Amino acid sequence: FDGPRRPRVRAGLRLFAHAAGQAAAGFGVAAAGALLDLRAAPLVLFDKLLVVYLLVAAFANTGVAIARLFGRDADDAFRSPLLATSPADFWGNRWNRWVNHLLYRYVFLPAGGRRHPLRGVTASFVASGLLHECIVMGSSLRLCGAQFAYFVVQGVAVALTHRSRAWRRLQARTPRVA
């Protein structure tokens, strides 16, 4: 049955409150970063990344809350990424689970999947790097390669943590298809 289910009002309202808190925290971190006049590059980068995460998570959680209020089944986009214990846990279980599912289904599995997980992970991170590079190139009209390099480095970090429990969960999981 693919139609709407019974609305999950309590879960939807709880997620709305969570999204409002994330948005408020995002704007608060942005304001604090502007007031503190951060000059050290790592602090500025962390500040910007935290603001982007909080605002994107707030936007995504608002969409999921609306879906739940209308009886649609929707997974959370993020699962507490700041609590990740390894790069494999961060990228495989916690960060942008919607895109993760797409990469898993359309890149990781065809590239080798569970039989050749390193090949699948490599292909997934290369695809993600190319996707991010296209997004940046579309907005800046120039190709710089920084996004691609970043995701290749992250793929190496995930591959180096392949002995962790998070890696074994990544290999064994079967994503829910709605």
Side-chain angles (χ1 to χ4, degrees):
F1 178 72
D2 196 33
R5 293 163 182 85
R6 202 170 89 203
R8 295 172 42 200
V9 176
R10 182 173 288 164
L13 293 176
R14 189 176 326 120
L15 199 52
F16 267 129
H18 189 68
Q22 285 175 320
F27 289 119
V29 169
L35 287 175
L36 292 174
D37 191 30
L38 301 173
R39 294 188 191 273
L43 290 177
V44 172
L45 181 62
F46 180 76
D47 178 63
K48 302 293 184 209
L49 290 175
L50 186 59
V51 169
V52 167
Y53 158 66
L54 288 168
L55 295 179
V56 168
F59 181 74
N61 284 333
T62 301
V64 172
I66 291 169
R68 288 181 181 167
L69 287 174
F70 282 97
R72 291 290 181 184
D73 199 13
D75 288 334
D76 294 345
F78 300 94
R79 184 184 287 159
S80 305
L82 299 176
L83 300 178
T85 58
S86 70
D89 183 33
F90 179 83
W91 291 111
N93 302 312
R94 296 179 178 274
W95 184 257
N96 201 343
R97 296 172 57 218
W98 298 344
V99 172
N100 182 318
H101 173 73
L102 291 173
L103 288 171
Y104 181 82
R105 187 170 183 177
Y106 297 109
V107 179
F108 179 81
L109 290 177
R114 295 182 194 135
R115 288 185 180 198
H116 302 285
L118 289 176
R119 187 170 56 199
V121 165
T122 301
S124 296
F125 277 96
V126 166
S128 184
L130 290 172
L131 176 67
H132 283 83
E133 200 62 50
C134 288
I135 292 169
V136 169
M137 188 173 67
S139 63
S140 67
L141 299 177
R142 66 185 187 105
L143 181 65
C144 67
Q147 294 293 317
F148 182 75
Y150 173 78
F151 282 97
V152 168
V153 168
Q154 292 300 309
V156 169
V158 169
L160 290 175
T161 60
H162 74 279
R163 301 241 187 261
S164 69
R165 280 187 296 157
W167 177 266
R168 287 191 297 276
R169 277 197 313 268
L170 175 68
Q171 282 184 282
R173 77 168 195 196
T174 53
R176 189 173 79 191
V177 178

